[in-house]
Amino acid sequence: MPTDPYIPARLEDEPRQETNLAPGVKLPAANAWRADRPGDLEAGQPSGALLGSPGPNVGYALTLVERIKDQLVTAPHEHLDDAMGVIAEIAMKRAALFGRAPVMADIDAARALLGYDGNVPADFVEWRVGAVHDADHDYIRRRSLVDAVPDDLLRLPFPAFAARVPGAQEALSVATVTGPT
């Protein structure tokens, strides 16, 4: 296959930064980087209530939850967008705890925890309808719900996680979810 004339055939023929420098001048080693610019976080990423869970490419959870939206079992008067927003955010938190991007297992875990797989008692569904109502548009409500899910539960492998879901649902339904009234 022919190659364009401006592409070097050998690696040693590729241009280097030094070729642009004056003869005898070498590039100095890079200096250590410090967060000293305006807007840099000096002490690292802040953590706490309502601050979220930063991780690599966590927004991919929104794409994954979009793929399963037809499989979600919602109650009457429950909005699919609210369910999808909370499922995605719990999946984002789980993925961030593992230091990776979200995968379908994170979506499945969030879906099982909130009972959108259809395996949930009626009293939990009643609580969920109120807790998740308007969560897609209410950051505080959504984050409060996600923050109520314990990190140690989300760190479990999926089989162990699935075994603890009923107890976690009971504990979650006791948690207070705040938001504007």
Side-chain angles (χ1 to χ4, degrees), residues 5-26:
Y6 57 85
I7 297 177
R10 300 179 320 171
L11 181 63
E12 49 276 352
D13 292 337
E14 289 187 14
R16 303 251 188 261
Q17 182 77 15
E18 283 96 9
T19 59
N20 296 332
L21 297 175
V25 178
K26 296 288 184 193

Side-chain angles (χ1 to χ4, degrees), residues 10-155:
R10 300 179 320 171
L11 181 63
E12 49 276 352
D13 292 337
E14 289 187 14
R16 303 251 188 261
Q17 182 77 15
E18 283 96 9
T19 59
N20 296 332
L21 297 175
V25 178
K26 296 288 184 193
L27 284 176
N31 293 330
W33 183 84
R34 288 186 302 269
D36 56 1
R37 301 172 302 178
D40 283 342
L41 299 173
E42 295 177 13
Q45 181 69 33
S47 61
L50 303 178
L51 290 179
S53 306
N57 200 21
V58 290
Y60 185 58
L62 297 169
T63 301
L64 293 174
V65 79
E66 185 72 30
R67 292 179 185 172
I68 63 146
K69 72 178 180 181
D70 296 335
Q71 302 169 16
L72 299 178
V73 180
T74 57
H77 309 296
E78 193 171 20
H79 296 280
L80 190 60
D81 290 338
D82 295 335
M84 290 170 54
V86 175
I87 289 171
E89 194 124 4
I90 290 175
M92 291 176 194
K93 180 178 179 179
R94 185 172 191 261
L97 289 171
F98 288 116
R100 58 168 170 72
V103 294
M104 194 54 82
D106 300 324
I107 300 295
D108 292 340
R111 185 174 140 198
L113 179 63
L114 294 176
Y116 287 112
D117 56 358
N119 302 327
V120 65
D123 58 337
F124 184 77
V125 171
E126 185 178 328
W127 170 83
R128 183 189 71 197
V129 168
V132 174
H133 178 70
D134 257 353
D136 190 42
H137 300 288
D138 185 353
Y139 178 80
I140 294 173
R141 179 179 292 270
R142 190 174 61 249
R143 280 307 320 166
S144 296
L145 183 58
V146 173
D147 287 346
V149 179
D151 291 355
D152 61 336
L153 174 69
L154 293 176
R155 283 190 180 104

